[in-house]
Amino acid sequence: MSTAAVAPAPALGRPGRYRWMICALLFFGTTINYIDRQVIGILKPTLVQQFGWQDERIYAAIVFTFQLAYAIGLLLAGRIMDKLGTRRGFAIAVGIWSVAAVGHAVAERMDWMKLPTINLDAKTGLSVVLLTGAAAGFAIMRFLLGLGEAGNFPASIKTVAEWFPKKERAFATGIFNSGSNVGALLTPIAVPWITLHWHWEAAFIATGALGFLWLAFWLFFYREPEKHPRLSEAELAYIRSDPAEQTTPIAWSRLIGYRQAWAFAIGKFLTDPIWWLYLFWSADFFNRAHGLDLKTIGLPLVVIYLVADVGSIGGGWLSSAFIKRGWTVNRARKTAMLICALAVLPIVFATRTTNVWVAVALIALAAAAHQGWSANIFTLVSDMFPRRAVGSVTGIGGMAGAVGGMLIALVTGEILQRTGSYVPIFWVAGCTYLLALLVIHLLVPNLEPAQIDKA
């Protein structure tokens, strides 16, 4: 493949808006992605009671298995998207995770399974334990779900880089990333209702089937910009209005040598686990601290993720607005991220209040701040790397975030098993973002682009 750069096409009038149709597809894909991964978190108290998982480390091990597969998947997904293209690569990922999501409904029938996983114990440290019965079945399905779901963000970030000029990428990222909040918002509405009217198996089947519906729309509507029959020449010229880039794929081994990749990866390693904490343990926190059950948990979680949705779009809009005012990309992104990091801090008081709605407000603020942070940290990749490397770098950073999620799953399970308290967990959640921003600033003080094409 030629490495020659191609100059952007000249402007041909007012561009159309078909690129926002593509953004809508990414939004709905991310929504379904988060619905499927969050179902088990909503049903945790129900499953613990039904299967007798009184040891908190059993549930933690199941979550760990998802995170392990997610880390492996992200290591591979970026390269797959760069090689196969987002149309085919994304379709494969959604197909795998949808099969796995539906497969949770038969997990309890896999009682013949024995699955080794990792356990964290204060006395013995890390050790391998065996999950048996329904726990093993759930762990297998969570592993497959993690492999498939790992493709969502590398594919979406790469699609944004292909379909949007730099000045719109943070906003577009914020829009599709808000699907994670919408998914997290819809799940506590739909899953309790489905479970109470039918059974928990039906919740997994109904939510998992959504992926197959999305897949049909994706294959029908999506093509690369240069090959899309519905994209006008003016809009294509607008999309390609940034300075031209080479198109030759970049070896993964080259990317990890850049401090820009490490800045993104460390930022994800430190902050992604906090979002996993909200997804997989919020229902349990409210059950322990405020006695909420399957009938009453819906509204508090809806409020949390509705506010988080505003944070996702607002965080992306904020840095884009700063740039339109003439700020540098470096100043705009980091100021927006600092605002988000400071907004997370009050979550440390969520365990101190006896008022459930005060706790909801504090967690909602932190979740919104995380999503605003996320919209900007994802955009850092396309700020610092050429389009041909975006999928791979996003996969590397996502893998680092999943490894952090693996660790927080084990730590959370051990803390809850030994103390039954979320206090130390929420202290970690509150302080991590400022540390992450400091590391990012030290590694890339000016968000200077990686000099890949000059190497």
Side-chain angles (χ1 to χ4, degrees):
M1 184 181 295
S2 172
T3 62
V6 179
L12 298 174
R14 185 172 182 176
R17 294 184 172 274
Y18 194 83
R19 63 194 182 281
W20 297 107
M21 170 67 181
I22 301 301
C23 188
L25 285 172
L26 301 180
F27 166 83
F28 286 113
T30 303
T31 299
I32 296 168
N33 183 282
Y34 268 76
I35 288 174
D36 288 344
R37 73 176 63 182
Q38 197 196 3
V39 174
I40 196 170
I42 302 296
L43 293 179
K44 186 206 172 197
T46 301
L47 298 175
V48 166
Q49 182 177 7
Q50 174 154 347
F51 298 115
W53 299 339
Q54 299 307 316
D55 189 330
E56 287 289 339
R57 290 168 293 198
I58 295 176
Y59 177 75
I62 294 172
V63 172
F64 173 88
T65 304
F66 172 89
Q67 298 290 161
L68 174 63
Y70 200 71
I72 295 171
L74 282 169
L75 184 63
L76 303 174
R79 298 301 294 169
I80 290 173
M81 299 305 162
D82 285 341
K83 286 183 176 296
L84 296 183
T86 47
R87 186 173 189 269
R88 286 188 294 168
F90 209 170
I92 292 170
V94 175
I96 292 173
W97 98 50
S98 299
V99 169
V102 173
H104 283 69
V106 298
E108 65 173 326
R109 295 178 176 84
M110 301 171 67
D111 54 4
W112 46 272
M113 290 289 301
K114 291 185 179 181
L115 184 71
T117 188
I118 301 296
N119 185 39
L120 175 64
D121 186 273
K123 295 180 180 179
T124 62
L126 290 174
S127 60
V128 177
V129 297
L130 282 178
L131 292 178
T132 60
F138 273 96
I140 289 290
M141 292 304 166
R142 297 307 288 178
F143 188 88
L144 292 175
L145 186 73
L147 281 180
E149 291 207 339
N152 184 81
F153 282 97
S156 296
I157 295 296
K158 183 175 177 63
T159 300
V160 167
E162 291 174 341
W163 274 85
F164 290 86
K166 281 189 175 183
K167 60 186 176 182
E168 291 184 345
R169 288 179 192 171
F171 187 47
T173 300
I175 290 176
F176 91 71
N177 188 52
S178 70
S180 61
N181 308 304
V182 174
L185 185 154
L186 293 176
T187 310
I189 297 175
V191 169
W193 189 87
I194 295 172
T195 303
L196 291 171
H197 283 77
W198 288 283
H199 204 251
W200 62 263
E201 293 100 327
F204 284 110
I205 293 172
T207 55
L210 293 173
F212 297 112
L213 179 62
W214 181 91
L215 185 56
F217 280 91
W218 176 256
L219 292 175
F220 182 79
F221 285 106
Y222 186 82
R223 300 292 187 278
E224 294 178 6
E226 285 78 7
K227 300 178 181 178
H228 209 295
R230 300 187 183 184
L231 188 66
S232 68
E233 292 185 20
E235 187 169 7
L236 178 60
Y238 179 75
I239 291 169
R240 295 291 179 256
S241 60
D242 292 321
E245 299 174 2
Q246 296 181 4
T247 58
T248 305
I250 302 170
W252 184 85
S253 58
R254 283 185 60 195
L255 295 174
I256 60 174
Y258 290 92
R259 53 192 170 83
Q260 289 89 344
W262 281 99
F264 177 67
I266 294 173
K268 295 285 285 180
F269 173 80
L270 290 172
T271 60
D272 273 16
I274 310 305
W275 183 248
W276 298 117
L277 179 68
Y278 302 148
L279 285 180
F280 296 141
W281 271 278
S282 287
D284 182 68
F285 166 73
F286 285 111
N287 179 261
R288 288 170 180 265
H290 301 282
L292 302 187
D293 58 16
L294 202 59
K295 296 179 181 179
T296 55
I297 191 62
L299 184 57
L301 293 183
V302 166
V303 171
I304 288 171
Y305 294 115
L306 183 61
V307 175
D309 200 39
V310 176
S312 178
I313 297 176
W317 172 86
L318 186 61
S319 65
S320 294
F322 288 153
I323 292 173
K324 289 180 180 178
R325 288 189 174 189
W327 290 25
T328 65
V329 171
N330 178 62
R331 182 186 176 194
R333 301 279 192 247
K334 289 179 181 175
T335 299
M337 293 170 76
L338 176 61
I339 292 171
C340 293
L342 292 173
V344 177
L345 285 173
I347 197 176
V348 301
F349 300 109
T351 57
R352 303 294 187 183
T353 181
T354 58
N355 186 306
V356 63
W357 288 107
V358 173
V360 167
L362 292 170
I363 296 175
L365 177 62
H370 171 89
Q371 290 298 76
W373 167 280
S374 185
N376 282 281
I377 196 172
F378 270 129
T379 311
L380 295 185
V381 180
S382 57
D383 290 335
M384 299 185 295
F385 288 91
R387 281 193 295 269
R388 61 197 178 107
V390 165
S392 295
V393 175
T394 303
I396 292 170
M399 181 199 68
V403 171
M406 291 161 55
L407 296 177
I408 205 168
L410 299 180
V411 170
T412 300
E414 181 65 24
I415 289 174
L416 292 178
Q417 180 64 24
R418 295 178 67 83
T419 70
S421 173
Y422 276 90
V423 171
I425 298 168
F426 280 9
W427 269 99
V428 171
C431 300
T432 298
Y433 294 82
L434 288 172
L435 174 61
L437 182 57
L438 175 62
V439 172
I440 290 171
H441 182 68
L442 291 175
L443 286 171
V444 282
N446 297 307
L447 289 188
E448 52 273 19
Q451 299 300 311
I452 291 177
D453 295 331
K454 295 181 180 180

